[in-house]
């Protein structure tokens, strides 16, 4: 064998090792991380196509090896490996033109294209004249394939190499039909993934299309490898048996996946089809091949011995051995480095104090919902001009810091490959207040984060990631200045993987949340609860509804078990509600950390509401209790008749936008989710708002589901007398009217002006108590300070 073919052998092995390290192993064993770093996206949406792409690439890579061992004896497959690399390079170039792919994945075409050119040149220079690429040779090859196909469908013909018996002919025909079907399906997945994926239970998501298309490409490659074995099963018996092995392995893959994920038909039945194909093809091949090539213990030992002998001969040459050892060593070192810096998970932080766990413990969000810690540290420097108040940094969005803490309340630090931060429940459910101007900040765990500008925080990250100065090189330079301990390799990981992934992830989220720009601004202390689930999680069409609500309090949950929850009473299962909320911010059935989640759940079950931080007039409160019992208790006192039930919108008369945004279609989608701890069966569509029990009433300001009434005093006024505009989000408390201060320079500088004439912001309805006398209203308010 000449030097050109020897280099073809060496580079084939290098390519297989590169495939294993860079794609196959991460896709099979850590698809979420691999996709987020290369995609990025979420395997919640790409589902099974990411690991299946890894499995099929592994199968295709193994098909390269027999030709690498003997490129002359298996020259057909040597040339097919060139075709495979060319198809792969073309695929990734095409994807670059279809979708805006991030850094690392944009270079895939270059890697495949390089191998394609090298293989093409080496085989063209190294093959004998009759096996080189030329018009005459191509014509002869096509003619021979025509003859081979004719022979399959013409009984009585055959060759000495491939005896014409019924079993082998049937094997060839079945193989061809299966290949045609597989290639046809793969071509549809490759060309029109947006049509095929929903029919397979997938979603309308760019990254699902990308990986489904990649699977289609790889299946087409495998289809090409199956053609020679279908026509000449004796000559290419190794590949014929490899095809049977592929269907067996594919059956095992899909079967195991059905145990891991809640797959829907037809995907959940793929393993049955593969078992059937492996059984039929294996039986026909075993029946038709000569005895020495049939499936048996002796035959298997003989084949393994031949493989070992061929490999031993291959590495007996010093240069080849050096290349393979170097490739394995480099690949192993690279794999280990990538594992340590991208995948290796350190033990989760568990705080002995449940309150600290609530504020700083990770509940387990997927990688695309986490922000690299070092990036978090330098973003204020990179994009401080986009912050509401650069001098305050992250606090300008209403994020709450405690002395001595590196991150705000509501963020957990994690180490999964690299340090990162992710939101927790307490981000949206921790209140802050001051009892006097210039006073110290106080924290009320479980309270509504009335000062949090969640939408502003989101879009700051999105806009920063797309600003001209936000480049991986510039970001890494800032990070390196703060962290000189980072090695050269770690800096490169940040520059070419972590930062591009985070940047593209934020850009994807900005596209996913573009619907927010079509709605009125949410402002401080508010969020849209179910449009993210509809549009971003379930990928339902944007129906234009407005679901903006005030962030709710979450203390004293045990007393609420069995009640109809959420503002519109759409669920009576606290655990479902908690997991649905976690899913909306980025948790998946596979990312969630059940022990941590349980600690937080248990903490909120028994967390008492905060006591009113001012003096209470006992005499007035006692008179107020009588008024409360007569006018409010039926709907708002624990144990009362209507508490935890729903009052029809026609009766309560409050803004209906939030009610309309929660649709029956969303209920139906929720009820399709049965994965791990995410079991959703208790949702329903209602026609009104829930009568919630009131405790910690003072800290729930502002009032109504959309936060459109600033104080309890204002809520007890006729709607025409309620404020139509006020500043929302200031932390100074007004103990008289029971609510936060909404006027003055401080409120204007920190708050968001809520205009009740804007759709979704109506302050109408809830007329209960508005007919009381002024004295009765003040007595009632005094009593409510005690709840």
């Amino acid at each position: 064998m000449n030097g050109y073919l020897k280099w073809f052998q060496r580079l084939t092995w290098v390519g297989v090792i590169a495939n294993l390290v860079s794609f196959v192993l991460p896709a099979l064993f850590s698809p979420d991380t691999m996709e987020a770093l290369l995609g990025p996206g979420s395997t919640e949406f790409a589902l099974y196509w990411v690991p299946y792409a890894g499995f099929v690439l592994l199968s295709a890579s193994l098909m390269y090896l027999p030709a690498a061992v003997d490129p002359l004896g298996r020259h057909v497959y040597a040339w097919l490996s060139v075709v495979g690399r060319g198809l792969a390079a073309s695929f990734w170039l095409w994807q670059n033109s279809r979708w805006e792919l991030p850094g690392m994945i944009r270079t895939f075409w270059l890697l495949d294209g390089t191998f394609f050119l090298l293989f093409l040149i080496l085989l063209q220079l190294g093959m004998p004249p009759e096996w080189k690429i030329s018009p005459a040779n191509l014509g002869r090859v096509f003619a021979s394939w025509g003859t081979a196909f004719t022979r399959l469908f013409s009984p009585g013909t055959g060759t000495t190499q491939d005896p014409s018996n019924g079993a082998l002919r049937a094997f060839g025909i079945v193989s061809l039909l299966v290949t045609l079907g597989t290639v046809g399906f793969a071509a549809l997945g490759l060309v029109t993934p947006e049509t095929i994926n929903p029919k397979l239970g997938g979603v309308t998501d760019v990254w699902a299309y990308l990986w489904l298309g990649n699977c289609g490409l790889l299946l087409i490659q495998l289809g090409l490898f199956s053609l020679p074995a279908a026509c000449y099963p004796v000559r290419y018996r190794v590949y014929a048996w490899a095809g049977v092995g592929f269907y067996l392995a594919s059956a095992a893959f899909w079967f195991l996946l059905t145990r891991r994920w809640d797959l829907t038909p037809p995907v959940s039945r793929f393993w049955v089809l593969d078992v059937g194909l492996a059984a039929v093809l294996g039986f026909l091949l075993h029946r038709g091949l000569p005895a020495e090539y049939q499936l048996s213990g002796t035959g298997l030992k003989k084949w393994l011995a031949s493989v070992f002998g061929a490999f031993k001969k291959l590495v007996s040459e010093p240069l080849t051995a050096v290349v393979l050892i170097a490739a394995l060593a480099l690949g192993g070192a690279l794999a280990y480095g990538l594992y340590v810096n991208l995948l290796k998970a350190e033990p989760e932080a568990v705080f002995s104090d449940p309150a600290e766990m609530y504020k700083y413990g990770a509940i387990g969000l997927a990688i695309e919902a986490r922000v690299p810690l070092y990036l978090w540290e330098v973003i204020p420097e990179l994009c401080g001009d986009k912050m509401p108040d650069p001098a305050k940094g992250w606090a300008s969005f209403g994020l709450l810091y405690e002395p001595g803490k590196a991150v705000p309340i509501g963020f957990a630090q994690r180490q999964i490959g690299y340090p990162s931060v992710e939101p927790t429940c307490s981000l949206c459910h921790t209140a802050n207040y001051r009892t006097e101007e210039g006073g110290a900040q106080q924290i009320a765990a479980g309270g509504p984060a009335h000062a949090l500008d969640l939408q502003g925080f989101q879009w700051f990250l999105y806009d920063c990631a797309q600003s001209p100065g936000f480049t991986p090189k510039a970001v890494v330079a800032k990070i390196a200045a703060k962290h000189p301990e980072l090695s050269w390799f770690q800096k490169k990981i940040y520059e070419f993987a972590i930062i591009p992934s985070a940047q593209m992830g934020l850009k994807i989220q900005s596209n996913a949340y573009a619907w927010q720009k079509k709605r009125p601004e949410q402002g401080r202390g508010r969020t849209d609860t179910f449009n993210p689930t509809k549009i971003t999680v379930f990928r339902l069409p944007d129906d234009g509804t407005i679901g903006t609500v005030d962030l709710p309090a979450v203390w004293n949950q045990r007393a609420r078990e069995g009640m109809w929850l959420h503002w519109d009473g759409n669920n009576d299962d606290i655990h479902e509600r908690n997991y649905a909320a976690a899913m909306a911010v980025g948790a998946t059935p596979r990312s969630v950390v059940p022990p941590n989640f349980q600690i937080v759940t248990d903490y909120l079950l028994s967390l008492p509401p905060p006591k009113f931080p001012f003096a209470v007039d006992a005499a007035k409160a006692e008179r107020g209790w009588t008024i409360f019992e007569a006018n409010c208790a039926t709907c708002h006192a624990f144990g009362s008749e209507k508490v935890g039930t729903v009052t029809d919108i026609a009766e309560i008369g409050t803004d209906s936008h939030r009610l309309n945004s929660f649709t029956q279609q969303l209920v139906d989608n929720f009820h399709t989710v049965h994965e791990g701890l995410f079991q959703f069966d208790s949702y329903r569509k209602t026609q009104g708002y829930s009568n919630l029990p009131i405790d910690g009433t003072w800290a729930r300001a502002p009032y109504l589901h959309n936060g459109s009434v600033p104080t309890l005093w204002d809520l007890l006024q006729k709607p025409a007398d309620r404020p139509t505009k006020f500043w929302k989000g200031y932390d100074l408390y007004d103990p008289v009217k029971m609510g936060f201060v909404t006027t003055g320079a401080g409120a204007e500088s920190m708050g968001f002006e809520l205009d009740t004439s804007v759709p979704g912001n109506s302050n109408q309805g809830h007329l209960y108590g508005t007919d009381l006398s002024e004295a009765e209203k003040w007595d009632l308010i005094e009593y409510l300070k005690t709840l």
Side-chain angles (χ1 to χ4, degrees), residues 543-580:
D543 57 15
T545 58
I546 300 169
T548 305
V549 295
D550 221 36
L551 293 168
V554 293
W555 51 60
N556 198 19
Q557 290 296 299
R558 181 171 284 109
R560 289 168 166 77
E561 288 186 308
M563 294 183 184
W564 288 102
L565 308 168
H566 287 136
W567 291 112
D568 58 343
N570 60 35
N571 193 299
D572 64 348
D573 187 312
I574 281 177
H575 298 283
E576 281 196 20
R577 183 207 56 186
N578 292 349
Y579 281 119

Side-chain angles (χ1 to χ4, degrees), residues 194-209:
E194 64 275 14
T195 301
I196 296 300
N197 201 49
K199 295 182 184 301
L200 297 176
V203 294
T204 54
D205 183 81
V206 168
W207 302 109
Y209 302 160

Side-chain angles (χ1 to χ4, degrees), residues 183-229:
V183 170
F185 167 77
L188 289 174
L190 182 61
V191 177
T192 61
E194 64 275 14
T195 301
I196 296 300
N197 201 49
K199 295 182 184 301
L200 297 176
V203 294
T204 54
D205 183 81
V206 168
W207 302 109
Y209 302 160
L210 175 69
W211 299 117
L212 174 58
N214 188 223
C215 292
L217 164 81
L218 294 166
L219 285 172
I220 290 173
Q221 287 190 36
L222 287 176
L224 293 176
F225 277 102
S226 70
L227 291 177

Side-chain angles (χ1 to χ4, degrees), residues 15-16 69 127 148 228 332 463 495 560 587 593 641 652 765:
V16 169
V69 172
M127 284 292 181
D463 293 340
E495 183 175 348
R560 289 168 166 77
V593 183
E641 178 185 354
I652 196 168

Side-chain angles (χ1 to χ4, degrees), residues 446-509:
H450 68 95
L452 174 64
D453 184 3
L454 188 60
Q455 185 179 21
F457 171 68
Q458 283 179 266
W459 284 96
F460 165 75
L461 290 173
Y462 303 159
D463 293 340
C464 180
Q466 298 178 63
S467 63
F470 193 107
T471 65
K473 201 173 193 67
V475 174
V476 172
K478 291 280 188 184
I479 290 174
K482 283 183 174 289
H483 295 278
E485 73 277 6
L486 289 176
S487 68
W488 175 88
F489 183 75
Q490 288 174 315
K491 292 175 187 175
K492 294 303 176 186
I493 288 287
Y494 269 90
E495 183 175 348
F496 292 103
I498 298 173
I499 300 304
S501 172
Q503 183 179 28
M504 183 54 67
L506 290 170
K507 185 167 186 178
I508 289 172
Q509 287 186 43

Side-chain angles (χ1 to χ4, degrees), residues 103-154:
M104 288 185 70
I105 207 168
R106 286 185 66 86
T107 63
F108 277 15
W109 72 270
L110 183 60
L111 179 65
D112 284 314
T114 300
F115 275 102
F116 165 74
L117 289 174
L118 289 173
F119 285 179
L120 177 66
I121 293 170
L122 291 172
L123 289 181
Q124 186 69 3
L125 293 175
M127 284 292 181
E130 64 272 21
W131 295 336
K132 294 179 185 292
I133 294 179
S134 69
N137 285 342
L138 289 175
R140 177 170 53 81
V141 168
F142 290 140
S144 70
W145 286 117
T147 302
F149 291 139
T150 301
R151 178 181 57 79
L152 273 181
F153 296 97
S154 302

